[in-house]
């Protein structure tokens, strides 16, 4: 056991600690009406989605993100890149230098996104037939190594199990496709 500890010690001394987190922001929509919003997020209607409530939601999400203090943060249920940038701006001096928001399907109201303190080196999205959201494979350079992340937000529990299985199968296929490949 002592030999194993001595063998691994050099790797532990030079290891970089970093934090990866995920956060479902529960439908962060902007105040532009483009026709894909959920009814309760159509701006200035009976559900009170207005500037005041938008700013309150942004501030609350920003507060949680600051408390998380993650180096890489996956976000679920973001409407578009514009609202992602507004959220990042609300982080002030804790804003992330690298952002990812995918191209999304026409019928999709929300998608997954990424905020990172490390450079994003690669992006690949897999769209699943008859499903609203994609699976996104993101490479992030941490020191001299590439960390690969898979962003995905599957259908809710109230949906059919078969729909979630489509995502599981697609994710498994994506991982198998890339297993053993060098990212550098």
């Amino acid at each position: 056991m002592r030999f194993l500890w001595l063998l691994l010690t050099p790797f532990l001394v030079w290891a970089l600690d970093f934090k990866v987190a995920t956060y479902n922001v529960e439908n962060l929509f902007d105040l532009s009406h483009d026709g894909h919003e959920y009814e309760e997020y159509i701006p200035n209607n009976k559900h009170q989605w207005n500037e005041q409530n938008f700013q309150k939601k942004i501030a609350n999400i920003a507060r949680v993100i600051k408390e998380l203090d993650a180096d890489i943060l996956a976000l679920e249920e973001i409407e578009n890149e514009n609202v992602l940038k507004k959220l990042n701006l609300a982080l002030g001096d804790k804003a992330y230098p690298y952002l990812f928001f995918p191209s999304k399907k026409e019928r999709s109201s929300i998608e997954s996104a990424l905020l990172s303190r490390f450079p994003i080196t690669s992006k690949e999205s897999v769209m699943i037939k008859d499903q609203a959201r994609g699976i996104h494979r993101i490479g992030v350079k941490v020191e001299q190594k590439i960390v690969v992340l898979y962003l995905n937000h599957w259908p809710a529990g109230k949906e059919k199990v078969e729909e979630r299985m489509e995502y599981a199968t697609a994710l498994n296929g994506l991982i198998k496709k890339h297993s053993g490949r060098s990212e550098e």
Side-chain angles (χ1 to χ4, degrees), residues 3 12 47 55-57 59 72 78 86 89 93 109 133 137-138 151 171 180 182-183:
F3 175 73
L12 297 174
H47 295 286
Q55 292 300 333
K56 185 185 295 183
K57 185 163 187 149
I72 301 170
I78 302 287
K86 286 182 180 186
L89 187 62
D93 65 346
S109 298
R133 297 181 290 268
R137 183 179 187 274
I138 311 299
L151 304 181
L171 179 58
S182 174
E183 297 295 321

Side-chain angles (χ1 to χ4, degrees), residues 147-159:
V147 175
V148 175
L149 305 144
Y150 291 89
L151 304 181
N152 50 107
H153 183 54
W154 298 2
K158 66 182 179 181
E159 304 298 331

Side-chain angles (χ1 to χ4, degrees), residues 132-151:
R133 297 181 290 268
I135 297 175
H136 313 289
R137 183 179 187 274
I138 311 299
V140 179
K141 189 171 188 175
V142 180
E143 289 194 345
Q144 299 305 313
K145 299 290 182 185
I146 303 298
V147 175
V148 175
L149 305 144
Y150 291 89
L151 304 181

Side-chain angles (χ1 to χ4, degrees), residues 1-133:
M1 186 66 171
R2 180 180 290 182
F3 175 73
L4 183 61
W5 178 250
L6 290 173
L7 185 64
L8 293 176
T9 300
F11 295 107
L12 297 174
V13 170
W14 298 106
L16 173 68
D17 286 336
F18 63 95
K19 186 189 293 188
V20 178
T22 185
Y23 180 24
N24 185 328
V25 299
E26 298 182 3
N27 301 316
L28 182 58
F29 285 87
D30 62 16
L31 291 170
S32 297
H33 182 45
D34 64 14
H36 296 287
E37 295 82 10
Y38 298 149
E39 182 182 343
E40 57 272 27
Y41 292 100
I42 294 172
N44 304 307
N45 73 3
K46 66 182 180 181
H47 295 286
Q48 303 295 315
W49 187 241
N50 54 35
E51 182 69 31
Q52 178 183 355
N53 288 331
F54 172 74
Q55 292 300 333
K56 185 185 295 183
K57 185 163 187 149
I58 288 277
N60 287 338
I61 293 169
R63 179 185 47 78
V64 171
I65 290 172
K66 287 177 184 178
E67 289 174 9
L68 279 171
D69 194 31
D71 298 298
I72 301 170
L73 179 61
L75 299 168
E76 294 83 33
E77 300 189 7
I78 302 287
E79 180 187 19
N80 55 43
E81 188 173 17
N82 180 47
V83 78
L84 178 65
K85 288 177 179 178
K86 286 182 180 186
L87 174 59
N88 196 43
L89 187 62
L91 295 172
D93 65 346
K94 296 284 187 178
Y96 290 81
Y98 305 101
L99 287 73
F100 166 79
F101 190 84
S103 297
K104 64 181 189 178
K105 285 186 173 179
E106 181 65 29
R107 73 181 192 128
S108 182
S109 298
I110 54 173
E111 252 296 358
S112 299
L114 187 80
L115 300 173
S116 178
R117 293 187 179 131
F118 302 111
I120 295 171
T121 60
S122 63
K123 308 173 250 197
E124 176 186 358
S125 294
V126 173
M127 297 303 179
I128 301 166
K129 186 179 184 217
D130 298 326
Q131 295 296 331
R133 297 181 290 268

